[in-house]
Amino acid sequence: MRLLRVLSLLIPAAVLAAGCAAPGSAPSGEGDGDTRTVRIGVADGAEPYWNVFTEKAAAEGITVELVNFTDYNQPNPALSQGQLDLNQFQHLQYLANYNVQNDDTLVPIGATAVYPLPLYSTRHSDLAQIPDGGQIVIPNDAVNQARALNVLQSAGLLTLTDGGTTTSTPADVDQAASKVTVTPVDAAQTAANLPSADGAIVNNNYATAANLTADQVLYQEDPDSEAAKPYINLFVARADRADDPDLATLVRIYHDQEVLDAAREDLGEDGVFRDNTPEDLQQTLAGIEQQLRAG
């Protein structure tokens, strides 16, 4: 599994520990002498790049224990309850939704990467070939649906009456000003609908499973744009440990070139690494949360 690209995994959690850890065991962040232990909840713990990461952490006196989750609903509660010291599986928008829905205060302390969301087509080879009234399939879960609508607006295929926000829905599409119509389906079914549609917004892991290729991408969001910022993936901590120097060290280690090279090899070429400051990430998070609370 790659970094957080799809938010619709609902299968039971599994544990894969690099240094044996179980979600119900005691919290860490402690150690003997100069060795400290930090438990990190992840969703891709089997990827080899974590070995590079943990080895570099050990060289700086930090023992990293990875706790792997296959259900995205579990790492944030586990962190909040003290079963983890840190997690790394989600982007800003997902974290904001979690905090607002659960009245929690988890905070980002470092960035990892952003993965542009692509528009695929098996009928057309160019964006201009999509006809007036064309049908575009998009994911139907709230986070990916809003993101897909904003991608289509930036591609010039539709206009959103609210200008495009992280909470946009199909009801916000100005049909008279739009070139295409949208059909929301389960994210896992977006690729399967390509033969009968002019295009589909398909999350990366579903695109990989469907053997979609880069030459079938008609458009994808600009990872440097403000619209993509809510989808930066993160290291997340509890608010009372936001300034913990060991956690800051782990964020720095993630951006070591050897770790980044290993992550690129494991996770593919489509991610764009980010090193936004904690202050910048926390400010963006606060803005998204405010928008969500306002409805």
Side-chain angles (χ1 to χ4, degrees):
M1 186 182 297
R2 299 182 176 181
L3 297 179
L4 182 71
R5 305 181 187 189
V6 177
L7 306 177
S8 57
L9 299 180
L10 297 174
I11 52 182
V15 175
L16 174 66
C20 65
S25 58
S28 58
E30 303 175 355
D32 296 327
D34 292 331
T35 301
R36 290 88 68 202
T37 299
V38 175
R39 301 181 72 216
I40 307 177
V42 300
D44 62 346
E47 298 290 357
Y49 79 92
W50 283 116
N51 296 330
V52 181
F53 177 86
T54 56
E55 288 170 5
K56 287 187 174 293
E60 298 205 29
I62 301 174
T63 298
V64 171
E65 294 182 354
L66 298 180
V67 182
N68 197 73
F69 295 87
T70 56
D71 179 350
Y72 287 0
N73 294 312
Q74 297 200 9
N76 280 335
L79 176 61
S80 187
Q81 294 162 15
Q83 297 170 22
L84 303 171
D85 303 298
L86 197 62
N87 70 38
Q88 196 276 92
F89 79 102
Q90 65 193 315
H91 52 49
L92 278 163
Q93 184 68 40
Y94 188 90
L95 176 59
N97 285 5
Y98 169 81
N99 277 348
V100 170
Q101 291 172 8
N102 295 278
D103 195 26
D104 211 337
T105 58
L106 299 181
V107 295
I109 64 165
T112 59
V114 61
Y115 291 85
L117 191 61
L119 169 65
Y120 288 91
S121 180
T122 55
R123 286 187 176 183
H124 310 296
S125 58
D126 188 88
L127 198 62
Q129 294 175 1
I130 295 178
D132 290 339
Q135 181 192 30
I136 305 295
V137 173
I138 64 172
N140 65 2
D141 61 281
V143 171
N144 283 306
Q145 180 172 259
R147 188 181 184 187
L149 290 170
N150 280 282
V151 169
L152 294 176
Q153 177 168 256
S154 65
L157 295 177
L158 58 75
T159 299
L160 296 167
T161 57
D162 61 0
T165 71
T166 57
T167 58
S168 296
T169 72
D172 297 313
V173 176
D174 183 343
Q175 296 293 350
S178 299
K179 183 178 183 180
V180 300
T181 61
V182 294
T183 303
V185 303
D186 185 274
Q189 299 302 315
T190 49
N193 278 272
L194 274 169
S196 60
D198 291 287
I201 297 287
V202 186
N203 296 86
N204 298 75
N205 56 345
Y206 291 132
T208 300
N211 296 315
L212 297 179
T213 61
D215 59 6
Q216 294 171 313
V217 175
L218 300 186
Y219 183 83
Q220 64 182 17
E221 65 192 343
D222 177 0
D224 295 321
S225 69
E226 281 299 307
K229 195 170 184 180
Y231 307 105
I232 296 173
N233 288 274
L234 312 161
F235 280 101
V236 176
R238 292 185 299 280
D240 62 353
R241 294 193 65 187
D243 298 320
D244 188 304
D246 286 341
L247 303 188
T249 295
L250 292 175
V251 173
R252 173 176 58 77
I253 289 171
Y254 185 92
H255 289 278
D256 180 282
Q257 193 59 52
E258 287 185 44
V259 177
L260 294 180
D261 290 345
R264 174 74 70 208
E265 182 176 351
D266 292 342
L267 304 176
E269 297 295 326
D270 49 344
V272 179
F273 293 115
R274 286 286 177 259
D275 60 358
N276 302 61
T277 65
E279 295 75 18
D280 178 50
L281 295 170
Q282 290 163 20
Q283 182 178 9
T284 301
L285 177 70
I288 299 172
E289 290 179 354
Q290 182 178 17
Q291 186 178 70
L292 290 171
R293 290 189 178 99

